Amino acid sequence: DAPPCTAPPSRALPLCDAALPTAARVADLVRRLTLDEKIAQLQNDAAPMPSVGLPAYQWWSEALHGVASSPGVSFQPPTPNATCFPQVLGTAASFDTALMSRVGAAVGREARAMANARRAGLTFWTPNVNIFRDPRWGRGQETPGEDPTLSAAYAAAFVAAVQGDDPKYLMASACCKHFAAYSMEQADGVDRESFDAQVTQYDLADTYFPAFQACVTLGRASGLMCSYNAVNGVPSCASAELLTRKVRREWKFEGYITGDCGAVGDVYSRHHYTNTTSATCKAVLSAGTDIDCGFFLPMYLQDAVAAGEVTEAQLDAALTRLFTVLMRLGYFDPHNAYAQLGPEEVDTPAHQALALEAARRSLVLLKNDQGAKSRHDGSRHSARASASPAVGQ
């Protein structure tokens, strides 16, 4: 398929006119779509839009510590590799926000270059800024660690750098995940898809919100992912309290919200929060979720609209947020500020050197102010190395 706005019929439509305000272009696109086309856009594997001549788009690309294999990413010539930076837990252990920013900028630049080469999307579901306080989780290496302040600093620095500093266009879209109070896979007979995290308002504000708030208010993230779990009885992806009142109204978030993969369906099938598929569609869209990483919305939205549970205006609101992010990325503008980035920007010697620097900076040496201590076996030691940001500076 031809890139957006490079061939008829889309090329001649207002939605492809870069001189028009973004809101006008988005409104023109949304009003031209059929109901079937609208529904088919509300999934990560968004379908082509024949009525306006636009191709399919894959929302799910990954770049946790470098562009990574995912549905939207293909490591084939001319970009067979991408720079692999240290796991986030390591980079955060540097306690150096300038380094975090440099890594983010390199990741964003490679992400955009791969997108321009049609080997990746433009929307990357990174970073993971969940709090890591129990090693049994198994995914702690993806996060900045246990400290809300450090996690917030990482989120702000990394996200802003990934998205670039152009006043009009995003270099790549960052998506902070997994919101909220999500730090477990499976334990004691409970799994992440049915877990109900009981968290006090104090602990939410003091522990689980700071990284996401910084991601939105300081990093200006254009994406957010709601998590599998429920928070105080309400599945995250169906929580208007979290997604609308907290994120959109209080924090002034202006991006799109995706469910984690399968999380929208879990509202119905695992949490049993709703009794019907139509009610589930209504719950997640009303709460503020815009897109389903999965098949629940495209499978059941048609019936939900027919039953009057979901209005076309609700679909339009979600589509407006999604297309606005794509407009900000220059997806519809072939001559955007980052269009010149090519395969030569990927896995460069400079980025490899930065990855090595970040790895070296991840090492933390604990100082022993009391001198050497004797072990139980009589041997002596004076210091040990650690790569955890949980330790003191």
Side-chain angles (χ1 to χ4, degrees), residues 206-238:
D206 192 62
T207 304
Y208 295 104
F209 284 166
F212 288 95
Q213 184 173 2
C215 197
V216 171
T217 61
L218 301 177
R220 309 304 298 174
S222 50
L224 187 80
M225 178 183 287
C226 51
S227 56
Y228 289 114
N229 60 288
V231 178
N232 298 328
V234 183
S236 295
C237 294

Side-chain angles (χ1 to χ4, degrees), residues 32-42 48-52:
R32 293 178 185 275
L33 300 181
T34 66
L35 178 60
D36 287 346
E37 287 175 323
K38 290 178 180 181
I39 290 173
Q41 295 306 300
L42 300 182
M49 294 170 270
S51 65
V52 289

Side-chain angles (χ1 to χ4, degrees), residues 364-389:
V364 177
L365 189 66
L366 301 186
K367 184 178 181 181
N368 185 352
D369 289 324
Q370 305 303 316
K373 300 291 185 180
S374 295
R375 298 182 188 271
H376 292 300
D377 62 5
S379 63
R380 297 172 68 82
H381 69 284
S382 59
R384 64 186 177 90
S386 170
S388 169

Side-chain angles (χ1 to χ4, degrees), residues 55 57 66 155 159 164 250 278 289 369:
Y57 180 74
V159 168
E250 184 177 328
S278 292
T289 301
D369 289 324

